[in-house]
Amino acid sequence: VANQLYAIRQEIVLDGITAVGSTGIEVGFTGGADLAEYYYSTQPLEAGEVVVIDRNGDGDDVMRSQKPYSGGLLGVVSTQPGLILGLRAEDGFPIALTGRVPVKFSMENGPVKSGDYLTSASISGYAMRATGAGPIIGKALADSQAIESMEACPVVDLDLVGDSTKCGYVIIFVEHGNFSGLPIEQL
């Protein structure tokens, strides 16, 4: 039975079959490793950006995070969602609500190690290592890339200096919550 279920799932994923539920909401299987839902945005969003709830919207609107430890953290713009909920719209973006996704990352709070929690950074749409108490967007599944292979962050007019102005990508597992801060031994 397990092999038959696996074969059926593979057929659905490979053929790109879309199932429609009783509520009329489309469910698409695309083969990635996250669960995403379509949300609207007046901003052009890019894959890997951290988004928050747009309080000026109708409840299904998002915008790029704008500050460290942003309240209203919702998810990450998905690159290749495994499962997509909601109707596709021209100004809609698949937002990873849970699962494994790459996220744009700033060295603002130093390098990320596997298991570190991430939150929104000072740089719009980017994540950073969470060191203080506050909302988190997920947990790193791998260490961040070496500083030498990172690029300059898109915005450097903040109070960031040296290595903290470097940006790249890190793979995270999206899980919402609150972080109580690093233990004293690590500070």
Side-chain angles (χ1 to χ4, degrees):
V1 173
N3 286 337
Q4 289 174 335
L5 290 176
Y6 179 78
I8 291 169
R9 183 189 183 285
Q10 283 302 102
E11 184 176 322
I12 289 172
V13 169
L14 293 175
D15 291 344
I17 297 171
T18 301
V20 179
S22 61
T23 62
I25 295 176
E26 291 183 12
V27 179
F29 297 94
T30 62
D34 63 295
L35 169 67
E37 183 178 4
Y38 280 107
Y39 283 84
Y40 301 100
S41 180
T42 57
Q43 301 172 322
L45 300 175
E46 296 178 7
E49 288 186 313
V50 176
V51 295
V52 296
I53 298 166
D54 184 348
R55 290 185 166 89
N56 296 320
D58 296 330
D60 58 356
D61 296 276
V62 295
M63 58 188 262
R64 265 182 223 96
S65 60
Q66 299 292 317
K67 61 184 181 179
Y69 298 92
S70 290
L73 283 174
L74 185 65
V76 176
V77 180
S78 183
T79 53
Q80 185 181 7
L83 180 63
I84 305 172
L85 305 175
L87 298 173
R88 190 177 297 235
E90 189 172 311
D91 57 348
F93 297 89
I95 306 302
L97 303 176
T98 189
R100 186 177 56 222
V101 293
V103 66
K104 291 183 175 186
F105 154 74
S106 158
M107 287 285 289
E108 193 169 335
N109 275 348
V112 169
K113 299 291 183 198
S114 177
D116 285 347
Y117 289 104
L118 284 97
T119 187
S120 56
S122 296
I123 300 167
S124 180
Y126 280 71
M128 67 178 180
R129 181 173 162 244
T131 56
I136 57 162
I137 193 66
K139 184 184 291 187
L141 294 174
D143 294 352
S144 56
Q145 61 200 81
I147 190 80
E148 300 80 32
S149 63
M150 296 178 90
E151 296 183 6
C153 294
V155 177
V156 247
D157 60 336
L158 304 166
D159 293 332
L160 305 178
V161 294
D163 289 346
S164 63
T165 61
K166 296 289 191 166
C167 288
Y169 285 88
V170 66
I171 303 295
I172 69 167
F173 185 84
V174 176
E175 60 176 319
H176 305 92
N178 285 297
F179 182 58
S180 58
L182 292 175
I184 292 180
E185 302 84 41
Q186 289 184 353
L187 294 173

